[in-house]
PDB file of all heavy atoms in Angstrom:
ATOM      1  N   VAL Q 351     -17.034  19.388  24.928  1.00  0.00           N
ATOM      2  CA  VAL Q 351     -16.084  18.484  24.274  1.00  0.00           C
ATOM      3  C   VAL Q 351     -14.749  18.560  24.957  1.00  0.00           C
ATOM      4  O   VAL Q 351     -14.107  17.531  25.156  1.00  0.00           O
ATOM      5  CB  VAL Q 351     -15.956  18.908  22.757  1.00  0.00           C
ATOM      6  CG1 VAL Q 351     -14.814  18.161  22.131  1.00  0.00           C
ATOM      7  CG2 VAL Q 351     -17.281  18.624  21.986  1.00  0.00           C
ATOM      8  N   ARG Q 352     -14.337  19.768  25.305  1.00  0.00           N
ATOM      9  CA  ARG Q 352     -12.993  19.913  25.949  1.00  0.00           C
ATOM     10  C   ARG Q 352     -13.022  19.157  27.312  1.00  0.00           C
ATOM     11  O   ARG Q 352     -12.028  18.410  27.617  1.00  0.00           O
ATOM     12  CB  ARG Q 352     -12.702  21.358  26.185  1.00  0.00           C
ATOM     13  CG  ARG Q 352     -11.347  21.631  26.786  1.00  0.00           C
ATOM     14  CD  ARG Q 352     -11.010  23.079  26.919  1.00  0.00           C
ATOM     15  NE  ARG Q 352     -10.792  23.673  25.635  1.00  0.00           N
ATOM     16  CZ  ARG Q 352     -11.487  24.714  25.106  1.00  0.00           C
ATOM     17  NH1 ARG Q 352     -12.447  25.272  25.873  1.00  0.00           N
ATOM     18  NH2 ARG Q 352     -11.224  25.201  23.915  1.00  0.00           N
ATOM     19  N   LEU Q 353     -14.093  19.270  28.075  1.00  0.00           N
ATOM     20  CA  LEU Q 353     -14.125  18.569  29.340  1.00  0.00           C
ATOM     21  C   LEU Q 353     -14.210  17.079  29.178  1.00  0.00           C
ATOM     22  O   LEU Q 353     -13.593  16.347  29.950  1.00  0.00           O
ATOM     23  CB  LEU Q 353     -15.378  19.050  30.155  1.00  0.00           C
ATOM     24  CG  LEU Q 353     -15.253  20.402  30.822  1.00  0.00           C
ATOM     25  CD1 LEU Q 353     -16.653  20.837  31.369  1.00  0.00           C
ATOM     26  CD2 LEU Q 353     -14.237  20.362  31.954  1.00  0.00           C
ATOM     27  N   GLY Q 354     -14.925  16.611  28.124  1.00  0.00           N
ATOM     28  CA  GLY Q 354     -14.952  15.228  27.861  1.00  0.00           C
ATOM     29  C   GLY Q 354     -13.570  14.669  27.580  1.00  0.00           C
ATOM     30  O   GLY Q 354     -13.212  13.584  28.069  1.00  0.00           O
ATOM     31  N   LEU Q 355     -12.805  15.332  26.719  1.00  0.00           N
ATOM     32  CA  LEU Q 355     -11.497  14.910  26.374  1.00  0.00           C
ATOM     33  C   LEU Q 355     -10.569  14.950  27.621  1.00  0.00           C
ATOM     34  O   LEU Q 355      -9.696  14.118  27.788  1.00  0.00           O
ATOM     35  CB  LEU Q 355     -10.923  15.760  25.253  1.00  0.00           C
ATOM     36  CG  LEU Q 355     -11.598  15.630  23.855  1.00  0.00           C
ATOM     37  CD1 LEU Q 355     -11.095  16.698  22.926  1.00  0.00           C
ATOM     38  CD2 LEU Q 355     -11.418  14.192  23.320  1.00  0.00           C
ATOM     39  N   LEU Q 356     -10.749  15.998  28.402  1.00  0.00           N
ATOM     40  CA  LEU Q 356      -9.937  16.099  29.616  1.00  0.00           C
ATOM     41  C   LEU Q 356     -10.160  14.987  30.569  1.00  0.00           C
ATOM     42  O   LEU Q 356      -9.270  14.395  31.119  1.00  0.00           O
ATOM     43  CB  LEU Q 356     -10.188  17.417  30.257  1.00  0.00           C
ATOM     44  CG  LEU Q 356      -9.309  17.874  31.410  1.00  0.00           C
ATOM     45  CD1 LEU Q 356      -7.907  18.021  30.930  1.00  0.00           C
ATOM     46  CD2 LEU Q 356      -9.750  19.217  31.971  1.00  0.00           C
ATOM     47  N   LEU Q 357     -11.428  14.671  30.801  1.00  0.00           N
ATOM     48  CA  LEU Q 357     -11.781  13.550  31.704  1.00  0.00           C
ATOM     49  C   LEU Q 357     -11.227  12.222  31.159  1.00  0.00           C
ATOM     50  O   LEU Q 357     -10.737  11.331  31.887  1.00  0.00           O
ATOM     51  CB  LEU Q 357     -13.270  13.435  31.906  1.00  0.00           C
ATOM     52  CG  LEU Q 357     -13.918  14.603  32.701  1.00  0.00           C
ATOM     53  CD1 LEU Q 357     -15.419  14.335  32.837  1.00  0.00           C
ATOM     54  CD2 LEU Q 357     -13.337  14.713  34.052  1.00  0.00           C
ATOM     55  N   SER Q 358     -11.308  12.078  29.823  1.00  0.00           N
ATOM     56  CA  SER Q 358     -10.760  10.889  29.196  1.00  0.00           C
ATOM     57  C   SER Q 358      -9.235  10.773  29.442  1.00  0.00           C
ATOM     58  O   SER Q 358      -8.719   9.715  29.749  1.00  0.00           O
ATOM     59  CB  SER Q 358     -11.074  10.862  27.708  1.00  0.00           C
ATOM     60  OG  SER Q 358     -10.518   9.804  27.034  1.00  0.00           O
ATOM     61  N   GLU Q 359      -8.528  11.889  29.289  1.00  0.00           N
ATOM     62  CA  GLU Q 359      -7.093  11.915  29.486  1.00  0.00           C
ATOM     63  C   GLU Q 359      -6.747  11.632  30.922  1.00  0.00           C
ATOM     64  O   GLU Q 359      -5.829  10.829  31.224  1.00  0.00           O
ATOM     65  CB  GLU Q 359      -6.534  13.260  29.077  1.00  0.00           C
ATOM     66  CG  GLU Q 359      -5.053  13.373  29.175  1.00  0.00           C
ATOM     67  CD  GLU Q 359      -4.377  12.521  28.128  1.00  0.00           C
ATOM     68  OE1 GLU Q 359      -5.016  12.174  27.073  1.00  0.00           O
ATOM     69  OE2 GLU Q 359      -3.150  12.207  28.274  1.00  0.00           O
ATOM     70  N   ILE Q 360      -7.523  12.163  31.897  1.00  0.00           N
ATOM     71  CA  ILE Q 360      -7.262  11.888  33.323  1.00  0.00           C
ATOM     72  C   ILE Q 360      -7.498  10.428  33.565  1.00  0.00           C
ATOM     73  O   ILE Q 360      -6.709   9.794  34.325  1.00  0.00           O
ATOM     74  CB  ILE Q 360      -8.200  12.739  34.180  1.00  0.00           C
ATOM     75  CG1 ILE Q 360      -7.870  14.247  34.052  1.00  0.00           C
ATOM     76  CG2 ILE Q 360      -8.127  12.362  35.631  1.00  0.00           C
ATOM     77  CD1 ILE Q 360      -8.831  15.193  34.662  1.00  0.00           C
ATOM     78  N   GLY Q 361      -8.525   9.826  33.011  1.00  0.00           N
ATOM     79  CA  GLY Q 361      -8.760   8.408  33.284  1.00  0.00           C
ATOM     80  C   GLY Q 361      -7.735   7.549  32.708  1.00  0.00           C
ATOM     81  O   GLY Q 361      -7.243   6.604  33.386  1.00  0.00           O
ATOM     82  N   ALA Q 362      -7.251   7.846  31.492  1.00  0.00           N
ATOM     83  CA  ALA Q 362      -6.216   7.028  30.887  1.00  0.00           C
ATOM     84  C   ALA Q 362      -4.895   7.156  31.644  1.00  0.00           C
ATOM     85  O   ALA Q 362      -4.177   6.130  31.834  1.00  0.00           O
ATOM     86  CB  ALA Q 362      -6.024   7.447  29.442  1.00  0.00           C
ATOM     87  N   ALA Q 363      -4.569   8.336  32.098  1.00  0.00           N
ATOM     88  CA  ALA Q 363      -3.295   8.585  32.819  1.00  0.00           C
ATOM     89  C   ALA Q 363      -3.298   7.931  34.125  1.00  0.00           C
ATOM     90  O   ALA Q 363      -2.255   7.646  34.705  1.00  0.00           O
ATOM     91  CB  ALA Q 363      -3.056  10.099  33.000  1.00  0.00           C
ATOM     92  N   ASN Q 364      -4.452   7.638  34.718  1.00  0.00           N
ATOM     93  CA  ASN Q 364      -4.534   7.070  36.078  1.00  0.00           C
ATOM     94  C   ASN Q 364      -5.063   5.641  36.107  1.00  0.00           C
ATOM     95  O   ASN Q 364      -5.528   5.134  37.109  1.00  0.00           O
ATOM     96  CB  ASN Q 364      -5.398   7.958  36.956  1.00  0.00           C
ATOM     97  CG  ASN Q 364      -4.697   9.280  37.260  1.00  0.00           C
ATOM     98  OD1 ASN Q 364      -3.860   9.413  38.096  1.00  0.00           O
ATOM     99  ND2 ASN Q 364      -5.089  10.354  36.484  1.00  0.00           N
ATOM    100  N   GLY Q 365      -5.054   5.000  34.923  1.00  0.00           N
ATOM    101  CA  GLY Q 365      -5.408   3.585  34.873  1.00  0.00           C
ATOM    102  C   GLY Q 365      -6.856   3.263  35.139  1.00  0.00           C
ATOM    103  O   GLY Q 365      -7.210   2.183  35.563  1.00  0.00           O
ATOM    104  N   ILE Q 366      -7.722   4.207  34.886  1.00  0.00           N
ATOM    105  CA  ILE Q 366      -9.166   3.999  35.118  1.00  0.00           C
ATOM    106  C   ILE Q 366      -9.712   3.248  33.918  1.00  0.00           C
ATOM    107  O   ILE Q 366      -9.598   3.730  32.795  1.00  0.00           O
ATOM    108  CB  ILE Q 366      -9.947   5.322  35.370  1.00  0.00           C
ATOM    109  CG1 ILE Q 366      -9.342   5.970  36.638  1.00  0.00           C
ATOM    110  CG2 ILE Q 366     -11.438   5.110  35.491  1.00  0.00           C
ATOM    111  CD1 ILE Q 366      -9.906   7.390  36.866  1.00  0.00           C
ATOM    112  N   GLU Q 367     -10.392   2.144  34.169  1.00  0.00           N
ATOM    113  CA  GLU Q 367     -10.885   1.315  33.051  1.00  0.00           C
ATOM    114  C   GLU Q 367     -12.291   0.799  33.424  1.00  0.00           C
ATOM    115  O   GLU Q 367     -12.691   0.762  34.615  1.00  0.00           O
ATOM    116  CB  GLU Q 367      -9.937   0.123  32.823  1.00  0.00           C
ATOM    117  CG  GLU Q 367      -8.573   0.502  32.317  1.00  0.00           C
ATOM    118  CD  GLU Q 367      -7.668  -0.706  32.029  1.00  0.00           C
ATOM    119  OE1 GLU Q 367      -8.076  -1.810  32.491  1.00  0.00           O
ATOM    120  OE2 GLU Q 367      -6.652  -0.515  31.413  1.00  0.00           O
TER     121      GLU Q 367
END
Side-chain angles (χ1 to χ4, degrees):
V351 170
R352 183 176 291 122
L353 283 170
L355 293 173
L356 188 61
L357 291 180
S358 178
E359 184 68 21
I360 293 171
N364 291 279
I366 298 173
E367 296 181 345

